[in-house]
Amino acid sequence: MTNFLYTIETPDAYNGEGSEVYTNDLQKALDFALEMSQEWIYSCVRNNVTGEIEEDFGDIIDLVERGIV
């Protein structure tokens, strides 16, 4: 497990390869997740301490229907 507080998860980024970016700054994580969701349909910020999603952006239903998540 990473030592960072937050992970920005973008499952469909880079042609389905997915992307995970780590940071300790919640505001930067939220800003980046929003930006990624505008390009890659969906992105979320996960709290690495609790495992909970702090915020998500975009349309996860599309990714579920395509079997990505």
Side-chain angles (χ1 to χ4, degrees):
M1 183 154 162
T2 179
N3 291 325
F4 292 98
L5 294 176
Y6 304 101
T7 301
I8 300 95
E9 300 172 0
T10 310
D12 198 31
Y14 311 110
N15 301 316
E17 293 292 318
S19 171
E20 290 186 352
V21 177
Y22 308 97
T23 184
N24 287 319
D25 186 318
L26 179 57
Q27 188 58 56
K28 287 183 181 181
L30 294 170
D31 292 345
F32 187 66
L34 176 59
E35 186 177 319
M36 290 295 281
S37 73
Q38 292 169 345
E39 186 170 349
W40 299 105
I41 301 173
Y42 175 82
S43 188
C44 67
V45 176
R46 185 174 303 277
N47 182 313
N48 293 326
V49 174
T50 66
E52 298 292 319
I53 293 177
E54 294 283 333
E55 187 73 55
D56 65 339
F57 303 93
D59 182 12
I60 194 168
I61 300 301
D62 178 64
L63 299 180
V64 171
E65 289 174 349
R66 293 190 290 143
I68 294 173
V69 294

